[in-house]
Amino acid sequence: MTKKTFRNRLLELSYGITGPIDEYQERELDRLGNSGYLLLTLFAPFLLFASVIIAIVASYKVAFWFAIVSLFALFIIVSWSFYIIAIRQRVLVNEVRPSDLKAKQKIAIRRGIITGIIFAVIEFIAQVIIYQSYDIKWGVMPGVIVILGSVLLGIFAGLLTGIITWKNIKKTNG
């Protein structure tokens, strides 16, 4: 078992680990994180270069949205591939005693709720900024779209986080 540092607390929070991180988990998370960082730093310049080409050929607005969507998609693809590999290698598995199982499941539910709220707030702010940048008149329909979109993204992100954390809790025999 490794020392409880701020970095390890961030790893536990980010990857849904409800118990202490052992040396194997820390080493594998470092290795996977380095691979993900390498992919992001290799592909991001190509996507930005493609955005410049699109700006020259088409328009700046198309290039801007291409850059935003493609970089966001790259981030999602890299992070989900990270989770899939980590789950297959059983890096994120938390083995707990039967007496601690209920407490760890409550942590998984709480983590899902907190993640959902954070994602909903971020999505709400992003949509308000986008609506403001296009000078759209605020009315009932744009307000409903912003609120509903934010809530739906928050529910989706919270459910995924909660399910990943819950699924990786394994009961030990002793």
Side-chain angles (χ1 to χ4, degrees):
M1 194 162 65
T2 60
K3 185 179 173 185
K4 190 84 162 183
T5 62
F6 178 69
R7 180 182 170 282
N8 285 357
R9 288 185 183 141
L10 285 176
L11 288 173
E12 290 172 6
L13 177 68
S14 300
Y15 302 125
I17 299 171
T18 58
I21 297 176
D22 60 14
E23 288 85 7
Y24 169 74
Q25 285 176 317
E26 187 174 10
R27 186 177 61 248
E28 288 301 308
L29 288 173
D30 282 343
R31 187 183 64 75
L32 289 170
N34 289 341
S35 299
Y37 176 76
L38 184 65
L39 287 173
L40 287 173
T41 58
L42 288 177
F43 284 114
F46 291 116
L47 294 173
L48 293 175
F49 179 71
S51 297
V52 170
I53 299 300
I54 291 172
I56 292 169
V57 173
S59 72
Y60 289 109
K61 191 176 271 190
V62 173
F64 171 76
W65 284 111
F66 173 80
I68 295 293
V69 170
S70 62
L71 289 173
F72 184 72
L74 175 66
F75 178 75
I76 295 297
I77 290 168
V78 168
S79 51
W80 275 103
S81 63
F82 173 87
Y83 275 114
I84 290 169
I85 292 169
I87 288 170
R88 284 187 182 159
Q89 293 180 353
R90 303 181 55 82
V91 174
L92 301 179
V93 170
N94 301 301
E95 294 183 351
V96 297
R97 295 187 306 264
S99 60
D100 295 336
L101 186 62
K102 293 288 185 200
K104 297 301 181 183
Q105 288 173 338
K106 286 181 183 177
I107 290 172
I109 293 170
R110 193 174 337 130
R111 183 169 285 142
I113 291 170
I114 291 170
T115 302
I117 291 169
I118 290 170
F119 270 78
V121 168
I122 291 171
E123 177 67 14
F124 179 79
I125 292 169
Q127 285 191 27
V128 167
I129 290 170
I130 290 170
Y131 271 84
Q132 292 297 333
S133 69
Y134 284 111
D135 293 328
I136 294 175
K137 302 281 187 233
W138 283 97
V140 174
M141 202 58 189
V144 168
I145 290 171
V146 167
I147 292 170
L148 187 63
S150 302
V151 168
L152 288 176
L153 181 74
I155 290 170
F156 180 70
L159 280 174
L160 283 177
T161 303
I163 289 169
I164 287 172
T165 306
W166 185 290
K167 192 168 171 64
N168 287 316
I169 297 173
K170 302 295 181 204
K171 185 170 56 170
T172 61
N173 294 331

